[in-house]
Amino acid sequence: MCKTEKSPQASVVDIPWHLEQCGSEWHFTVNIATQPSIQLSAEVVRIEVDGSPAIDLSVPLKARPLNMDASRVSFSRKRGLLKVSWPCPDGLPTKAEQTLAKLDAFKAALKGIEHEVRESEQNLRGGSSPSIMRMVRDALAQVEARLNKLQCAGIDSLELCDLGSDKDTAKLMRKTNIQDAEHLHQRIEFMFDRINDVLVQRDADTSTFDESRQAHDEASVHEKQPHGCAVDELEAAGNARDGVSKQEEQSRHCAGGISRQQAADEQEDAQVAHARKLAEGEDGITKQDEATQQAEEEEREAQRWEAAAAQTQTLVEER
């Protein structure tokens, strides 16, 4: 094995390789069955096996330059694995630093979600109208979706291997992030339950009110329409009024008949008196006769009025 600053001329081929950062070092690994000859440069790893054409593997830009003075090369015959390691360039964050930075970013994202959850809680305390409830429910659904993505694709999937002395710190930070995420889930679920309870109760109250109003309207219509017995009573009262009217009309006819009879009687008496005067002569009638005649006429008049009164009383009693 040797390390050179310049890569000799060789063909560049595409073979499987893997680059990863472990702590403060880059690890460049290649699967190969036979131990090869290795030549290194700042940008290329050259591999040559048993006089076969050399293979140049380009170092990714993020891992350049390859520090040849501090590099290490190892080969595992049992695993068939070639590994080249070199320190990370100055100023490039280590894996531990990158992991801690990600955990800090997760914490900041959880703070932002917690702020949105607090706003939703304030909106619920500010009013309980159905429109506000539905608005808060829609906003919470979006917040919950972002929280699930942050927890599943971020916090839970973060690897904490090869962190050296920072591993315990990273574990504690991830545990705190997980606890904060679970607490936010509980607050969101509590608000969902409250919103659903309020909306269900409002729907039930609205349905009950509609049913009561419908029943009241039906009762009002029913009261306006007379029942069968009431109709019979009204018809009977109408018939009774008609009967009374007929009786009154008959009474008027009877009274009219009596008046006509009285007029006829008076006319007849007048004719009799006139005939008597003609027979006796007006000159032969004495004052005594006149008084007697007047008394008789008054008596007959009184008898006619008594007869008329008796007939009227009989009609009234019959009605």
mmCIF file of all heavy atoms in Angstrom, residues 217-248:
data_model
loop_
_atom_site.group_PDB
_atom_site.id
_atom_site.type_symbol
_atom_site.label_atom_id
_atom_site.label_comp_id
_atom_site.label_asym_id
_atom_site.label_seq_id
_atom_site.Cartn_x
_atom_site.Cartn_y
_atom_site.Cartn_z
ATOM 1 N N ASP A 217 -96.172 23.739 16.363
ATOM 2 C CA ASP A 217 -96.917 24.166 15.179
ATOM 3 C C ASP A 217 -98.092 23.231 14.893
ATOM 4 O O ASP A 217 -99.192 23.677 14.562
ATOM 5 C CB ASP A 217 -95.980 24.218 13.970
ATOM 6 C CG ASP A 217 -94.909 25.297 14.128
ATOM 7 O OD1 ASP A 217 -95.120 26.202 14.954
ATOM 8 O OD2 ASP A 217 -93.881 25.206 13.433
ATOM 9 N N GLU A 218 -97.840 21.927 15.022
ATOM 10 C CA GLU A 218 -98.920 20.969 14.789
ATOM 11 C C GLU A 218 -100.048 21.154 15.811
ATOM 12 O O GLU A 218 -101.231 21.056 15.470
ATOM 13 C CB GLU A 218 -98.372 19.546 14.854
ATOM 14 C CG GLU A 218 -97.419 19.223 13.694
ATOM 15 C CD GLU A 218 -96.848 17.833 13.831
ATOM 16 O OE1 GLU A 218 -97.096 17.186 14.882
ATOM 17 O OE2 GLU A 218 -96.139 17.388 12.889
ATOM 18 N N ALA A 219 -99.668 21.434 17.082
ATOM 19 C CA ALA A 219 -100.697 21.640 18.103
ATOM 20 C C ALA A 219 -101.509 22.891 17.816
ATOM 21 O O ALA A 219 -102.727 22.918 18.019
ATOM 22 C CB ALA A 219 -100.030 21.742 19.480
ATOM 23 N N SER A 220 -100.815 23.941 17.336
ATOM 24 C CA SER A 220 -101.533 25.183 17.027
ATOM 25 C C SER A 220 -102.533 24.965 15.902
ATOM 26 O O SER A 220 -103.675 25.415 15.969
ATOM 27 C CB SER A 220 -100.530 26.276 16.635
ATOM 28 O OG SER A 220 -99.642 26.532 17.697
ATOM 29 N N VAL A 221 -102.127 24.246 14.877
ATOM 30 C CA VAL A 221 -103.031 23.958 13.767
ATOM 31 C C VAL A 221 -104.195 23.110 14.238
ATOM 32 O O VAL A 221 -105.344 23.309 13.853
ATOM 33 C CB VAL A 221 -102.261 23.257 12.632
ATOM 34 C CG1 VAL A 221 -103.224 22.803 11.533
ATOM 35 C CG2 VAL A 221 -101.218 24.199 12.048
ATOM 36 N N HIS A 222 -103.887 22.148 15.130
ATOM 37 C CA HIS A 222 -104.936 21.269 15.634
ATOM 38 C C HIS A 222 -105.948 22.051 16.469
ATOM 39 O O HIS A 222 -107.145 21.768 16.427
ATOM 40 C CB HIS A 222 -104.308 20.161 16.470
ATOM 41 C CG HIS A 222 -105.288 19.098 16.882
ATOM 42 N ND1 HIS A 222 -105.920 18.280 15.987
ATOM 43 C CD2 HIS A 222 -105.759 18.748 18.116
ATOM 44 C CE1 HIS A 222 -106.734 17.455 16.633
ATOM 45 N NE2 HIS A 222 -106.648 17.723 17.928
ATOM 46 N N GLU A 223 -105.475 23.029 17.250
ATOM 47 C CA GLU A 223 -106.386 23.830 18.058
ATOM 48 C C GLU A 223 -107.287 24.708 17.202
ATOM 49 O O GLU A 223 -108.434 24.964 17.524
ATOM 50 C CB GLU A 223 -105.582 24.706 19.020
ATOM 51 C CG GLU A 223 -104.905 23.894 20.127
ATOM 52 C CD GLU A 223 -104.058 24.782 21.014
ATOM 53 O OE1 GLU A 223 -103.993 25.988 20.715
ATOM 54 O OE2 GLU A 223 -103.495 24.273 21.992
ATOM 55 N N LYS A 224 -106.742 25.206 16.077
ATOM 56 C CA LYS A 224 -107.543 26.053 15.201
ATOM 57 C C LYS A 224 -108.656 25.266 14.516
ATOM 58 O O LYS A 224 -109.677 25.817 14.146
ATOM 59 C CB LYS A 224 -106.647 26.702 14.153
ATOM 60 C CG LYS A 224 -105.681 27.710 14.749
ATOM 61 C CD LYS A 224 -104.785 28.314 13.681
ATOM 62 C CE LYS A 224 -103.826 29.318 14.282
ATOM 63 N NZ LYS A 224 -102.924 29.890 13.243
ATOM 64 N N GLN A 225 -108.460 23.978 14.311
ATOM 65 C CA GLN A 225 -109.478 23.145 13.669
ATOM 66 C C GLN A 225 -110.389 22.561 14.740
ATOM 67 O O GLN A 225 -109.924 21.878 15.654
ATOM 68 C CB GLN A 225 -108.812 22.013 12.887
ATOM 69 C CG GLN A 225 -107.962 22.513 11.726
ATOM 70 C CD GLN A 225 -107.299 21.372 11.004
ATOM 71 O OE1 GLN A 225 -107.362 20.232 11.452
ATOM 72 N NE2 GLN A 225 -106.671 21.678 9.883
ATOM 73 N N PRO A 226 -111.733 22.801 14.730
ATOM 74 C CA PRO A 226 -112.643 22.280 15.772
ATOM 75 C C PRO A 226 -112.720 20.774 15.714
ATOM 76 O O PRO A 226 -112.632 20.160 14.652
ATOM 77 C CB PRO A 226 -113.992 22.937 15.420
ATOM 78 C CG PRO A 226 -113.896 23.252 13.960
ATOM 79 C CD PRO A 226 -112.457 23.576 13.701
ATOM 80 N N HIS A 227 -112.877 20.171 16.909
ATOM 81 C CA HIS A 227 -113.026 18.721 17.000
ATOM 82 C C HIS A 227 -114.428 18.307 16.555
ATOM 83 O O HIS A 227 -115.321 19.135 16.359
ATOM 84 C CB HIS A 227 -112.784 18.263 18.437
ATOM 85 C CG HIS A 227 -111.382 18.564 18.891
ATOM 86 N ND1 HIS A 227 -110.284 17.884 18.438
ATOM 87 C CD2 HIS A 227 -110.917 19.530 19.742
ATOM 88 C CE1 HIS A 227 -109.188 18.369 18.999
ATOM 89 N NE2 HIS A 227 -109.548 19.378 19.792
ATOM 90 N N GLY A 228 -114.603 16.990 16.434
ATOM 91 C CA GLY A 228 -115.898 16.483 15.982
ATOM 92 C C GLY A 228 -117.025 16.852 16.919
ATOM 93 O O GLY A 228 -118.098 17.294 16.502
ATOM 94 N N CYS A 229 -116.811 16.717 18.248
ATOM 95 C CA CYS A 229 -117.866 17.059 19.205
ATOM 96 C C CYS A 229 -118.149 18.550 19.184
ATOM 97 O O CYS A 229 -119.286 18.987 19.324
ATOM 98 C CB CYS A 229 -117.467 16.606 20.606
ATOM 99 S SG CYS A 229 -115.931 17.355 21.192
ATOM 100 N N ALA A 230 -117.093 19.360 19.026
ATOM 101 C CA ALA A 230 -117.315 20.808 18.964
ATOM 102 C C ALA A 230 -118.149 21.175 17.747
ATOM 103 O O ALA A 230 -118.999 22.068 17.792
ATOM 104 C CB ALA A 230 -115.976 21.547 18.929
ATOM 105 N N VAL A 231 -117.886 20.500 16.628
ATOM 106 C CA VAL A 231 -118.687 20.761 15.421
ATOM 107 C C VAL A 231 -120.138 20.423 15.662
ATOM 108 O O VAL A 231 -121.051 21.171 15.271
ATOM 109 C CB VAL A 231 -118.132 19.941 14.237
ATOM 110 C CG1 VAL A 231 -119.044 20.054 13.030
ATOM 111 C CG2 VAL A 231 -116.738 20.439 13.874
ATOM 112 N N ASP A 232 -120.385 19.293 16.344
ATOM 113 C CA ASP A 232 -121.773 18.908 16.636
ATOM 114 C C ASP A 232 -122.446 19.950 17.522
ATOM 115 O O ASP A 232 -123.619 20.295 17.313
ATOM 116 C CB ASP A 232 -121.798 17.542 17.324
ATOM 117 C CG ASP A 232 -121.280 16.455 16.378
ATOM 118 O OD1 ASP A 232 -121.306 16.687 15.156
ATOM 119 O OD2 ASP A 232 -120.855 15.397 16.886
ATOM 120 N N GLU A 233 -121.694 20.445 18.536
ATOM 121 C CA GLU A 233 -122.284 21.448 19.418
ATOM 122 C C GLU A 233 -122.603 22.731 18.668
ATOM 123 O O GLU A 233 -123.642 23.365 18.886
ATOM 124 C CB GLU A 233 -121.324 21.741 20.572
ATOM 125 C CG GLU A 233 -121.153 20.542 21.517
ATOM 126 C CD GLU A 233 -120.137 20.844 22.593
ATOM 127 O OE1 GLU A 233 -119.566 21.951 22.556
ATOM 128 O OE2 GLU A 233 -119.933 19.973 23.465
ATOM 129 N N LEU A 234 -121.661 23.117 17.779
ATOM 130 C CA LEU A 234 -121.909 24.324 17.002
ATOM 131 C C LEU A 234 -123.127 24.164 16.097
ATOM 132 O O LEU A 234 -123.954 25.080 15.950
ATOM 133 C CB LEU A 234 -120.678 24.670 16.158
ATOM 134 C CG LEU A 234 -119.442 25.137 16.939
ATOM 135 C CD1 LEU A 234 -118.282 25.317 15.991
ATOM 136 C CD2 LEU A 234 -119.742 26.434 17.677
ATOM 137 N N GLU A 235 -123.269 22.997 15.479
ATOM 138 C CA GLU A 235 -124.434 22.756 14.622
ATOM 139 C C GLU A 235 -125.728 22.767 15.437
ATOM 140 O O GLU A 235 -126.752 23.314 15.003
ATOM 141 C CB GLU A 235 -124.272 21.418 13.906
ATOM 142 C CG GLU A 235 -123.149 21.443 12.847
ATOM 143 C CD GLU A 235 -123.028 20.104 12.165
ATOM 144 O OE1 GLU A 235 -123.722 19.154 12.608
ATOM 145 O OE2 GLU A 235 -122.244 20.002 11.198
ATOM 146 N N ALA A 236 -125.636 22.154 16.653
ATOM 147 C CA ALA A 236 -126.841 22.136 17.495
ATOM 148 C C ALA A 236 -127.224 23.554 17.914
ATOM 149 O O ALA A 236 -128.405 23.923 17.927
ATOM 150 C CB ALA A 236 -126.596 21.270 18.739
ATOM 151 N N ALA A 237 -126.180 24.364 18.280
ATOM 152 C CA ALA A 237 -126.480 25.749 18.663
ATOM 153 C C ALA A 237 -127.082 26.522 17.493
ATOM 154 O O ALA A 237 -128.009 27.319 17.664
ATOM 155 C CB ALA A 237 -125.200 26.443 19.157
ATOM 156 N N GLY A 238 -126.544 26.289 16.286
ATOM 157 C CA GLY A 238 -127.091 26.958 15.100
ATOM 158 C C GLY A 238 -128.524 26.545 14.848
ATOM 159 O O GLY A 238 -129.385 27.380 14.530
ATOM 160 N N ASN A 239 -128.792 25.248 14.992
ATOM 161 C CA ASN A 239 -130.165 24.784 14.790
ATOM 162 C C ASN A 239 -131.104 25.376 15.829
ATOM 163 O O ASN A 239 -132.267 25.703 15.538
ATOM 164 C CB ASN A 239 -130.217 23.257 14.851
ATOM 165 C CG ASN A 239 -129.455 22.623 13.681
ATOM 166 O OD1 ASN A 239 -129.326 23.251 12.613
ATOM 167 N ND2 ASN A 239 -128.963 21.409 13.861
ATOM 168 N N ALA A 240 -130.588 25.486 17.084
ATOM 169 C CA ALA A 240 -131.432 26.065 18.130
ATOM 170 C C ALA A 240 -131.774 27.515 17.812
ATOM 171 O O ALA A 240 -132.915 27.958 17.984
ATOM 172 C CB ALA A 240 -130.734 25.979 19.492
ATOM 173 N N ARG A 241 -130.721 28.265 17.355
ATOM 174 C CA ARG A 241 -130.994 29.653 16.988
ATOM 175 C C ARG A 241 -132.004 29.738 15.848
ATOM 176 O O ARG A 241 -132.885 30.604 15.821
ATOM 177 C CB ARG A 241 -129.679 30.340 16.584
ATOM 178 C CG ARG A 241 -128.762 30.653 17.777
ATOM 179 C CD ARG A 241 -127.675 31.642 17.365
ATOM 180 N NE ARG A 241 -126.839 31.098 16.320
ATOM 181 C CZ ARG A 241 -125.734 30.373 16.549
ATOM 182 N NH1 ARG A 241 -125.378 30.104 17.799
ATOM 183 N NH2 ARG A 241 -125.022 29.933 15.530
ATOM 184 N N ASP A 242 -131.862 28.801 14.880
ATOM 185 C CA ASP A 242 -132.834 28.786 13.779
ATOM 186 C C ASP A 242 -134.243 28.496 14.287
ATOM 187 O O ASP A 242 -135.238 29.100 13.823
ATOM 188 C CB ASP A 242 -132.434 27.745 12.738
ATOM 189 C CG ASP A 242 -131.120 28.119 12.058
ATOM 190 O OD1 ASP A 242 -130.752 29.314 12.112
ATOM 191 O OD2 ASP A 242 -130.465 27.218 11.483
ATOM 192 N N GLY A 243 -134.356 27.549 15.274
ATOM 193 C CA GLY A 243 -135.678 27.225 15.819
ATOM 194 C C GLY A 243 -136.300 28.409 16.536
ATOM 195 O O GLY A 243 -137.487 28.704 16.413
ATOM 196 N N VAL A 244 -135.449 29.128 17.338
ATOM 197 C CA VAL A 244 -135.969 30.308 18.039
ATOM 198 C C VAL A 244 -136.429 31.360 17.056
ATOM 199 O O VAL A 244 -137.455 32.011 17.221
ATOM 200 C CB VAL A 244 -134.875 30.864 18.978
ATOM 201 C CG1 VAL A 244 -135.321 32.201 19.568
ATOM 202 C CG2 VAL A 244 -134.586 29.867 20.084
ATOM 203 N N SER A 245 -135.630 31.516 15.972
ATOM 204 C CA SER A 245 -136.014 32.512 14.967
ATOM 205 C C SER A 245 -137.350 32.158 14.331
ATOM 206 O O SER A 245 -138.198 33.027 14.093
ATOM 207 C CB SER A 245 -134.929 32.614 13.891
ATOM 208 O OG SER A 245 -133.704 33.000 14.480
ATOM 209 N N LYS A 246 -137.565 30.871 14.059
ATOM 210 C CA LYS A 246 -138.834 30.439 13.462
ATOM 211 C C LYS A 246 -139.989 30.692 14.425
ATOM 212 O O LYS A 246 -141.082 31.108 14.019
ATOM 213 C CB LYS A 246 -138.762 28.965 13.086
ATOM 214 C CG LYS A 246 -137.821 28.696 11.922
ATOM 215 C CD LYS A 246 -137.775 27.223 11.591
ATOM 216 C CE LYS A 246 -136.830 26.959 10.411
ATOM 217 N NZ LYS A 246 -136.754 25.527 10.084
ATOM 218 N N GLN A 247 -139.755 30.405 15.738
ATOM 219 C CA GLN A 247 -140.831 30.625 16.703
ATOM 220 C C GLN A 247 -141.175 32.107 16.806
ATOM 221 O O GLN A 247 -142.348 32.487 16.914
ATOM 222 C CB GLN A 247 -140.408 30.091 18.078
ATOM 223 C CG GLN A 247 -140.313 28.564 18.132
ATOM 224 C CD GLN A 247 -139.858 28.070 19.484
ATOM 225 O OE1 GLN A 247 -139.593 28.887 20.377
ATOM 226 N NE2 GLN A 247 -139.792 26.749 19.644
ATOM 227 N N GLU A 248 -140.108 32.939 16.805
ATOM 228 C CA GLU A 248 -140.374 34.382 16.856
ATOM 229 C C GLU A 248 -141.168 34.834 15.639
ATOM 230 O O GLU A 248 -142.066 35.673 15.729
ATOM 231 C CB GLU A 248 -139.049 35.141 16.937
ATOM 232 C CG GLU A 248 -138.319 34.927 18.260
ATOM 233 C CD GLU A 248 -136.994 35.638 18.269
ATOM 234 O OE1 GLU A 248 -136.604 36.130 17.188
ATOM 235 O OE2 GLU A 248 -136.355 35.697 19.340
#
